[in-house]
Amino acid sequence: MFPNTAILAVAAAVLVVLGLHWFVARRGPLWLGALVPALWAVAVVVLIAQGRLDSGRPYVVSAAGLVLLLWMWASARQARAKAEAARSATS
């Protein structure tokens, strides 16, 4: 097959997780949207504890990933609140 099949599979998996995170943050309960950022934080802590994550740049990238997930969660919650407010105002 293609030499980059593994990279494409990982990229597809990341996109699926981000899409599910966005959908759950908008449609699901509050705690369910926090599940993906919490799992990210746990995965990073486990990698650090096992010594699989070098110090320096990987820490910055891990923190940026967590900030991105939390930002997506917060913006989805705000969008949901605005949609509910608009729906209740028209009722």
Side-chain angles (χ1 to χ4, degrees):
M1 287 246 172
F2 297 108
N4 294 330
T5 305
I7 293 173
L8 291 174
V10 169
V14 167
L15 290 175
V16 166
V17 168
L18 286 175
L20 286 173
H21 172 61
W22 178 81
F23 181 76
V24 169
R26 277 187 171 254
R27 305 282 185 222
L30 178 67
W31 65 270
L32 199 55
L35 188 62
V36 173
L39 289 175
W40 175 269
V42 167
V44 169
V45 168
V46 167
L47 288 174
I48 291 171
Q50 291 178 349
R52 294 185 181 183
L53 200 62
D54 297 331
S55 61
R57 188 178 293 178
Y59 286 0
V60 174
V61 172
S62 299
L66 182 61
V67 168
L68 173 72
L69 290 170
L70 291 173
W71 175 67
M72 286 175 60
W73 179 42
S75 64
R77 300 306 298 173
Q78 288 176 351
R80 182 178 180 176
K82 286 181 184 178
E84 288 175 358
R87 216 176 302 135
S88 66
T90 59
S91 297

